[in-house]
Amino acid sequence: MTNGFLLSRIVLQFSSEFQTVCEDLSAVIHTKDGHLWVASDEAATIDRLSFAEPYIYRHDKQFALADLINLPDRKKVEVDVEGMDYADEYLWVVGSHGTKRKKVKDEKTDEENLQRLTEVEFDPNRYILARIPLCNGDLVKSCPHSQDPAQQLTAAILELTAGGNVLIDALKSDPHLGPFLSTYTQAQDQPLLLPGKDNGFDVEGLAVYGDRIFVGLRGPVLRGWAIILELAVEQKNPETLSLKPIGKEGQLYKKHFFDLGGLGIRDLHFQGKDLLILAGPTMVLDGSIRVFRLTKALDLDENSLCEQAEGELELLFDIPYGIGCDRAEGMTLFTCISDSPSLMVVYDAPSETRKRDLKGVLADVFKL
């Protein structure tokens, strides 16, 4: 397969105050009002960029998630947002839903680093699936629906629990995913989920179509099969969402398995009724980054299994990657040259070339 046809590059420009955002971009969405919205997986904010001049979008506002939704730990500076989408006047965001193993650090001794590799952290802020009203270009806690003023839009988050949220609780008895959500420490009687970057449970994609929510998993990848969860939610109270039965016999989720050549899911995005899938390695390594198209995504059966086949699940193109840098993490439809269908991609750990002489970072736009 060949690399995607690069139509152009867009400068995402940030002032010095917000430069750290562009070092760890994990999600992007282009909304119909012309704004670009991005998130960093090392922050607890959503950032808005506006068109400044051809090929340049400039950062103009930052929104703290703690001001909009009820985060479980408001003092933490990280939420680990890994996916965003926009539907029916709501901006949707999802966290990684996984634990993390501590990293080796150069300043530590070997003994200290070996100990760090035994330590797994549970951060309740990572277990968010939320919707936030987007009103006149701003994220707000509530506002009337533009087409139906009698309908009040409210910021809400999927119900949290001691183990994360109600989705994690529902999955713990799942025959495929339960084993990745059921490890315990001997020292304390609380769940410590298998870390996401150890092929554990790790959300890194979100796409919303009507009342259906598709959540892509970077991990686990089971014998080469990647997984998308399909959900539906309903409002439990003005600030809380609950899972609505969507499967047979009151099941709270559907599971869809895909042959992506052993890759996990990095992002999802609808193009019409087709679902675009950004795929990459599930572990912490450099490797293939690819874009697939799933046709008729809304017609998937419950607990489906989908192999690559022309007209069903097709590989569109590869995205170049670097060694230790330029890891494609987020994508969104974007109008570029001659209104041709195109896909904007943003990167975590951007290379120096991607940042050189810029007050920001370069995003790539590929032809679809």
Side-chain angles (χ1 to χ4, degrees), residues 232-299:
V233 298
E234 56 189 358
Q235 195 161 311
K236 184 175 182 179
N237 59 52
E239 298 181 340
T240 307
L241 304 171
S242 60
L243 291 176
K244 183 168 63 174
I246 191 173
K248 297 175 182 177
E249 300 177 356
Q251 188 76 5
L252 296 176
Y253 56 88
K254 294 180 181 180
K255 290 179 295 186
H256 308 300
F257 294 77
F258 301 93
D259 170 20
L260 303 181
L263 301 176
I265 293 167
R266 294 299 185 89
D267 203 8
L268 302 171
H269 195 79
F270 272 103
Q271 183 186 23
K273 294 185 178 181
D274 294 345
L275 185 63
L276 300 175
I277 301 173
L278 179 66
T282 184
M283 308 295 281
V284 182
L285 54 86
D286 301 312
S288 297
I289 305 288
R290 294 180 160 180
V291 177
F292 294 82
R293 184 196 305 279
L294 174 68
T295 61
K296 301 178 182 178
L298 301 175
D299 298 331

Side-chain angles (χ1 to χ4, degrees), residues 153 179 237 347:
L153 305 175
N237 59 52
Y347 298 82

Side-chain angles (χ1 to χ4, degrees), residues 102-353:
K102 286 192 174 181
K103 296 179 180 179
V104 168
K105 292 189 173 182
D106 292 340
E107 66 270 20
K108 301 289 185 180
T109 66
D110 287 355
E111 183 177 354
E112 289 171 330
N113 277 324
L114 287 171
Q115 175 59 33
R116 288 179 66 83
L117 288 175
T118 69
E119 298 174 11
V120 177
E121 297 178 341
F122 173 86
D123 182 352
N125 280 356
R126 290 172 166 242
Y127 297 84
I128 67 160
L129 173 62
R131 67 182 192 192
I132 304 168
L134 180 52
C135 181
N136 298 322
D138 286 327
L139 296 176
V140 297
K141 293 193 73 169
S142 66
C143 68
H145 194 289
S146 65
Q147 303 302 313
D148 181 9
Q151 178 187 348
Q152 190 73 10
L153 305 175
T154 59
I157 187 170
L158 188 63
E159 186 176 359
L160 301 168
T161 66
N165 62 22
V166 291
L167 173 60
I168 293 296
D169 290 354
L171 290 170
K172 282 186 176 178
S173 59
D174 184 86
H176 295 105
L177 296 172
F180 295 87
L181 302 171
S182 303
T183 57
Y184 290 82
T185 62
Q186 295 179 350
Q188 47 189 325
D189 184 21
Q190 69 174 28
L192 283 177
L193 318 184
L194 185 65
K197 303 309 179 282
D198 293 356
N199 197 39
F201 191 87
D202 191 11
V203 171
E204 280 212 12
L206 177 69
V208 181
Y209 193 102
D211 62 351
R212 298 165 70 175
I213 302 166
F214 294 78
V215 174
L217 304 186
R218 176 174 176 173
V221 172
L222 303 183
R223 193 72 180 193
W225 292 87
I227 303 170
I228 293 176
L229 300 175
E230 184 181 345
L231 316 172
V233 298
E234 56 189 358
Q235 195 161 311
K236 184 175 182 179
N237 59 52
E239 298 181 340
T240 307
L241 304 171
S242 60
L243 291 176
K244 183 168 63 174
I246 191 173
K248 297 175 182 177
E249 300 177 356
Q251 188 76 5
L252 296 176
Y253 56 88
K254 294 180 181 180
K255 290 179 295 186
H256 308 300
F257 294 77
F258 301 93
D259 170 20
L260 303 181
L263 301 176
I265 293 167
R266 294 299 185 89
D267 203 8
L268 302 171
H269 195 79
F270 272 103
Q271 183 186 23
K273 294 185 178 181
D274 294 345
L275 185 63
L276 300 175
I277 301 173
L278 179 66
T282 184
M283 308 295 281
V284 182
L285 54 86
D286 301 312
S288 297
I289 305 288
R290 294 180 160 180
V291 177
F292 294 82
R293 184 196 305 279
L294 174 68
T295 61
K296 301 178 182 178
L298 301 175
D299 298 331
L300 292 171
D301 293 330
E302 186 165 354
N303 297 340
S304 60
L305 198 68
C306 187
E307 297 183 289
Q308 290 187 42
E310 185 176 351
E312 296 179 20
L313 177 63
E314 294 185 85
L315 173 59
L316 298 184
F317 55 84
D318 282 30
I319 293 178
Y321 62 90
I323 303 302
C325 61
D326 284 351
R327 302 184 184 110
E329 288 275 338
M331 64 179 179
T332 183
L333 293 177
F334 185 78
T335 301
C336 195
I337 301 171
S338 301
D339 294 330
S340 61
S342 55
L343 190 70
M344 176 184 286
V345 176
V346 298
Y347 298 82
D348 189 11
S351 63
E352 289 305 310
T353 301

